[in-house]
């Protein structure tokens, strides 16, 4: 009889605890915020000819999260975008990371007759930044 009573009381308290809990987040956790990358440049405009831009960062604790060309995400393949040094090649563009804080972005000549848009997303922890490159037709 005592076991049944204890089980019933446990069940009632469990229901009350779950029913009275509040899932609302009052405050965001504290921690570092703000620009964790510090890009020298966030945008570049190229002519239709082959072009290159060099972008530096103040910090080295970032990685490339991904690429999109004309709003289509590009598969990174086997390239380690977390590395301090890498070269990512594509038929249209090349992105090289050197010494952890330099990006060299090159685009081939644009013969498509339409503008091309390259979007590179960088990440450092929970901070995201992007670089936009527009190439004329």
């Amino acid at each position: 009889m005592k076991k049944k009573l204890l089980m019933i009381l446990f069940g009632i308290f469990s229901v009350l605890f779950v029913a009275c809990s509040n899932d609302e987040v009052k405050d965001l956790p504290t921690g570092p915020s703000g620009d964790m990358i510090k890009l020298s440049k966030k945008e570049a405009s190229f002519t239709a000819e082959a072009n290159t831009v060099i972008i530096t960062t103040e910090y080295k604790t970032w990685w490339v999260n991904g690429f999109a060309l004309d709003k289509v995400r590009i598969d990174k393949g086997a390239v380690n975008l977390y590395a301090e040094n890498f070269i990512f090649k594509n038929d249209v563009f090349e992105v090289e990371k050197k010494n952890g804080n330099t990006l060299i972005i090159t685009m081939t000549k644009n013969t498509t007759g339409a503008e091309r848009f390259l979007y590179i997303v960088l990440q450092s922890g929970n901070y995201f930044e992007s670089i936009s490159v527009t190439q004329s037709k």
Side-chain angles (χ1 to χ4, degrees):
M1 181 70 177
K2 285 185 181 180
K3 249 185 180 180
K4 279 188 179 180
L5 182 59
L6 284 173
M7 292 299 284
I8 291 172
L9 286 174
F10 178 73
I12 290 172
F13 285 120
S14 296
V15 169
L16 286 175
F17 180 74
V18 171
C20 294
S21 69
N22 186 356
D23 292 334
E24 182 180 332
V25 176
K26 301 274 188 221
D27 294 314
L28 295 174
T30 57
S33 61
D35 191 344
M36 305 285 291
I37 300 170
K38 302 239 186 233
L39 290 168
S40 63
K41 192 175 202 179
K42 295 180 184 182
E43 295 180 357
S45 295
F46 289 169
T47 64
E49 296 302 312
N51 285 278
T52 298
V53 65
I54 297 174
I55 298 176
T56 58
T57 65
E58 190 172 317
Y59 300 108
K60 293 184 177 187
T61 58
W62 57 271
W63 58 92
V64 175
N65 183 279
F67 308 101
L69 181 64
D70 297 328
K71 298 184 182 181
V72 177
R73 189 163 172 87
I74 304 296
D75 182 14
K76 68 174 186 153
V79 176
N80 180 5
L81 300 180
Y82 294 93
E84 192 169 299
N85 296 291
F86 69 77
I87 298 176
F88 178 86
K89 291 185 180 186
N90 180 290
D91 292 341
V92 175
F93 66 93
E94 177 179 302
V95 175
E96 179 178 3
K97 182 178 179 184
K98 283 182 145 183
N99 304 319
N101 69 340
T102 302
L103 274 181
I104 302 166
I105 304 165
T106 304
M107 292 187 75
T108 61
K109 184 176 180 176
N110 185 358
T111 58
T112 65
E115 278 190 320
R116 294 197 292 203
F117 301 96
L118 175 62
Y119 191 66
I120 303 168
V121 179
L122 309 179
Q123 182 177 352
S124 179
N126 290 327
Y127 179 78
F128 292 83
E129 189 63 79
S130 62
I131 299 169
S132 299
V133 180
T134 304
Q135 188 177 31
S136 300
K137 53 182 176 177

